[in-house]
Amino acid sequence: MPEPKSAFDGLYPCDFYEPAELLEPDQCYTVYEIARLLQDLDPDAGLEPETEDVLLDWAIPWIMTNAEDLVVADPRSDDEPGYYGLRRPEDLPESN
């Protein structure tokens, strides 16, 4: 149910990181690591499953919104998530 703005202690700008501000150009990250980085946490920070679920609610749309600036790598195994990184020209094969 919607809440009046006056019900909150404060309102803040809804600013998100640009991919180049968040990710190192020579690294790939899982969606879980990106979720932590978006909250200024260490990518390896331990989180409760409930907290991680909330952070994923922010990370997944961020990845989709910034897809043009990202590359994706397949998981290395069936029990591992995929990886995302900054798109650089040298990362993609040349098209013919």
Side-chain angles (χ1 to χ4, degrees), residues 15-85:
D15 294 332
F16 291 99
Y17 288 102
E18 293 294 322
E21 296 173 314
L22 190 70
L23 308 176
E24 294 295 325
D26 61 344
Q27 300 291 314
C28 282
Y29 304 83
T30 67
V31 68
Y32 304 102
E33 293 165 336
I34 291 171
R36 288 170 175 79
L37 290 170
L38 285 168
Q39 296 297 315
D40 292 325
L41 298 172
D42 186 279
D44 298 323
L47 299 174
E48 296 293 323
E50 299 82 19
T51 302
E52 189 161 64
D53 288 345
V54 170
L55 297 185
L56 287 175
D57 287 344
W58 289 87
I60 294 167
W62 183 88
I63 289 170
M64 294 174 66
T65 299
N66 291 290
E68 289 184 8
D69 297 324
L70 302 173
V71 293
V72 62
D74 289 331
R76 293 177 289 190
S77 66
D78 289 341
D79 62 342
E80 188 176 82
Y83 286 81
Y84 301 88

Side-chain angles (χ1 to χ4, degrees), residues 82-96:
Y83 286 81
Y84 301 88
L86 285 177
R87 181 182 295 212
R88 304 176 303 178
E90 63 267 28
D91 293 331
L92 301 174
E94 291 184 37
S95 357
N96 294 343

